[in-house]
Amino acid sequence: MCISDTHSRTRGLKYPLNDIQADILIHAGDFTMRGADDEIRAFNDYLGSLTKIKHKVVIAGNHDLTFDSRLNKHHEAAKKLLTNCIYLQDCSVNLMNIKIHGSPWQPLYGRI
């Protein structure tokens, strides 16, 4: 299963994931509105509540600002808040014979 752009609204999803059983969930960016620690912790807690999903993979998006080393010198601390998933940033993981690569990079807004 792949989702994205939940923007700190995982508790209000139209189709909650708590009762869904899946082998792999990929959240492909924008799990926060601005990347604040409280948003990251809430998202991590939400991932921990998804007990019927075996593997959870997360890749940051443009709203997850604190994960961007170009903008935040403490980006490693933000990554450490995600304990209930596999966070991918310029790396890969092999799950169930499926190789998943995560790279969140994009041009900074207004720059090419």
Side-chain angles (χ1 to χ4, degrees), residues 40-90:
I40 299 167
R41 284 188 194 95
F43 179 69
N44 186 63
D45 290 345
Y46 177 73
L47 291 176
S49 75
L50 302 177
T51 58
K52 296 181 181 181
I53 299 175
K54 188 184 279 188
H55 304 284
K56 298 148 199 146
V57 177
V58 174
I59 303 148
N62 65 313
H63 281 258
D64 309 313
L65 298 172
T66 51
F67 290 80
D68 192 332
S69 60
R70 301 170 297 177
L71 302 173
N72 180 16
K73 64 181 178 181
H74 303 290
H75 61 279
E76 290 299 324
K79 293 178 196 177
K80 289 179 182 178
L81 296 175
L82 291 176
T83 59
N84 291 319
C85 65
I86 299 165
Y87 176 72
L88 297 180
Q89 182 170 315
D90 300 324

